[in-house]
Amino acid sequence: MNPSALITGASRGIGKAIAETFAEAGYNLALCCHNSEKELLSLAEELREQHSVQILTFVGDVADYPFVERMAEETLAAFHRIDVLINNAGISYIGLLTDMSLEDWNHIVATNLTSVFSTCRCIVPSMVSAKSGRIINISSVWGNVGASCEVAYSACKGGINAFTKALGKELAPSHITVNAIACGVIDTDMNHCFTEEERLALVEEIPAGRMGTPKEAAQLALSIATGPEYLNGQVLTLDGGWI
Ligand code: NAP
């Protein structure tokens, strides 16, 4: 039987690369996105054809608990288990804290942090029954060190880091691991808000001399999913030596 994984935010960027990498490794997948339905359906079709794996797709908001609950239930009904949960969906907010509304704060926390609670709350019971599972949270170096003008985003990612360490301890007796990847600058739509000049200035600060690729984040996610059970509760930084 093929292993299975549920990946949030799989229509673009890092989540799409993770979907491609896991499908190539033979995983049946449940993929979700918020708005890019056409892109998600076309990715699913491509992965089914290329790798003969089963792909389920869901379009909805990870900040909406009933949506997450339905996605988990339908995935478990189809695949009977979820071996790997990858919490990747996320949004950024750039601006001064003093310009941020309470509504914007609640939106970013619900999307980036509460969504991680929701997927885990809905999927962990099945992993505990199976006495196995891997949870991988896509975090950010800003969760480690904080970024000016990204206070809410940094707080969410810092929250994910602490969530990872705490849940890793809670679930280790059930042979479930919880780890996070703290990404540096990965070349996706999320960074397309920067001008060419700003991108060049950013790259100059990175010892590796370039941005990371979504494929590199996906390779690390697959290594964690297939690696030792003794790797648990860790936040692994993937940033080309930047921070
Ligand atoms: P991206 O290219 O902007 O893609 C974001 C993905 O998340 C899309 O599939 C999007 O779906 C989905 N998504 C966003 N809000 C959602 C919601 N409410 N419900 C369901 N799906 C939602 O971003 P990315 O750069 O790949 O980032 C992926 C993760 O890596 C994020 O958690 C981000 O914080 C983290 N990260 C990225 C970088 C970086 O430099 N790129 C650095 C550190 C951490 P739609 O297409 O439907 O909008």
Side-chain angles (χ1 to χ4, degrees), residues 29-49:
L29 299 176
L31 308 177
C32 87
C33 75
H34 194 194
N35 298 304
S36 313
E37 182 169 18
K38 203 165 135 252
E39 289 78 1
L40 190 72
L41 294 179
S42 127
L43 173 68
E45 201 45 49
E46 193 181 306
L47 297 181
R48 284 186 200 106
E49 276 174 23

Side-chain angles (χ1 to χ4, degrees), residues 2-33 39-58 79 84-89 136 138 181 214-222 225:
N2 296 40
S4 61
L6 186 148
I7 305 165
T8 65
S11 53
R12 300 181 277 125
I14 295 169
K16 181 181 179 186
I18 294 174
E20 290 167 340
T21 302
F22 276 64
E24 194 179 353
Y27 281 75
N28 290 330
L29 299 176
L31 308 177
C32 87
C33 75
E39 289 78 1
L40 190 72
L41 294 179
S42 127
L43 173 68
E45 201 45 49
E46 193 181 306
L47 297 181
R48 284 186 200 106
E49 276 174 23
Q50 286 179 3
H51 305 295
S52 305
V53 289
Q54 292 179 56
I55 313 279
L56 306 176
T57 56
F58 299 90
F79 297 158
V84 184
L85 163 63
I86 301 178
N87 288 307
N88 166 77
I136 301 167
I138 306 300
I181 301 175
K215 181 75 187 169
E216 287 174 306
Q219 284 167 335
L220 181 53
L222 184 64

Side-chain angles (χ1 to χ4, degrees), residues 91-98 100 105 108 112 140-143 145-158 184-185 190-191 193-194 202 242:
I91 51 172
S92 67
Y93 177 98
I94 298 178
L96 293 172
L97 181 83
T98 43
M100 190 172 198
W105 169 272
I108 195 163
N112 290 355
S140 161
V141 289
W142 296 149
V145 298
S148 165
C149 294
E150 295 195 57
V151 172
Y153 181 82
S154 301
C156 292
K157 296 303 188 181
V185 190
M190 196 171 262
N191 296 312
C193 55
F194 297 120
L202 200 53
W242 183 32

